[in-house]
Amino acid sequence: MKTLKFRPHLVEQILAGTKTVTWRLFDDKDLSVGDKVEFLNWETKEKFCEVEITAVKEKKLVEIEEADFNGHETFKDKEEMLQNYQNYYGEKVNWDTVVKIINFKML
């Protein structure tokens, strides 16, 4: 089964049902609609839930718009968003980097 890791503050949002979307860059798992995925706590590596992917779309970071934040954590501005993903993925992230926007539901 495929797995995705989340930082502890995001684990809380997922379990509370306020986070129903994740954005992934450089998707090496080929995540697709219908996939069942185990979500793991990034720090402990423990499984905290299982989900099914319900929708997937791709956009460049520069093309992200307000509607893309429904079910996703927000940022104070686009620069903070870019810096957040550079912190996760490194300096190779820029405005032309493709983001896989993944909707999910807990099973």
Side-chain angles (χ1 to χ4, degrees):
M1 182 175 287
K2 297 176 183 179
T3 61
L4 291 176
K5 294 180 187 142
F6 292 86
R7 304 291 173 154
H9 70 283
L10 298 175
V11 170
E12 293 171 17
Q13 293 176 26
I14 292 166
L15 292 175
T18 57
K19 180 172 175 60
T20 57
V21 174
T22 186
W23 298 355
R24 298 292 160 144
L25 285 56
F26 315 109
D27 174 26
D28 59 350
K29 297 180 178 169
D30 192 30
L31 297 164
S32 311
V33 172
D35 283 354
K36 294 190 174 34
V37 183
E38 287 186 347
F39 282 7
L40 309 177
N41 182 308
W42 186 85
E43 287 183 354
T44 65
K45 310 299 185 257
E46 292 177 8
K47 174 182 170 181
F48 66 90
C49 75
E50 189 174 313
V51 305
E52 181 178 342
I53 295 177
T54 58
V56 175
K57 64 182 174 182
E58 293 185 348
K59 288 185 165 190
K60 291 181 181 180
L61 263 178
V62 73
E63 298 169 338
I64 295 293
E65 52 199 3
E66 192 171 326
D68 296 316
F69 287 98
N70 291 339
H72 192 272
E73 65 275 13
T74 58
F75 305 98
K76 71 177 181 183
D77 57 31
K78 287 216 170 203
E79 277 304 315
E80 183 184 60
M81 177 181 73
L82 178 63
Q83 288 174 351
N84 181 69
Y85 288 99
Q86 286 176 335
N87 287 341
Y88 285 150
Y89 295 98
E91 292 299 315
K92 62 186 173 185
V93 175
N94 60 51
W95 292 115
D96 289 325
T97 301
V98 174
V99 179
K100 197 171 228 186
I101 301 169
I102 302 164
N103 295 65
F104 58 85
K105 67 176 180 182
M106 280 199 281
L107 299 175

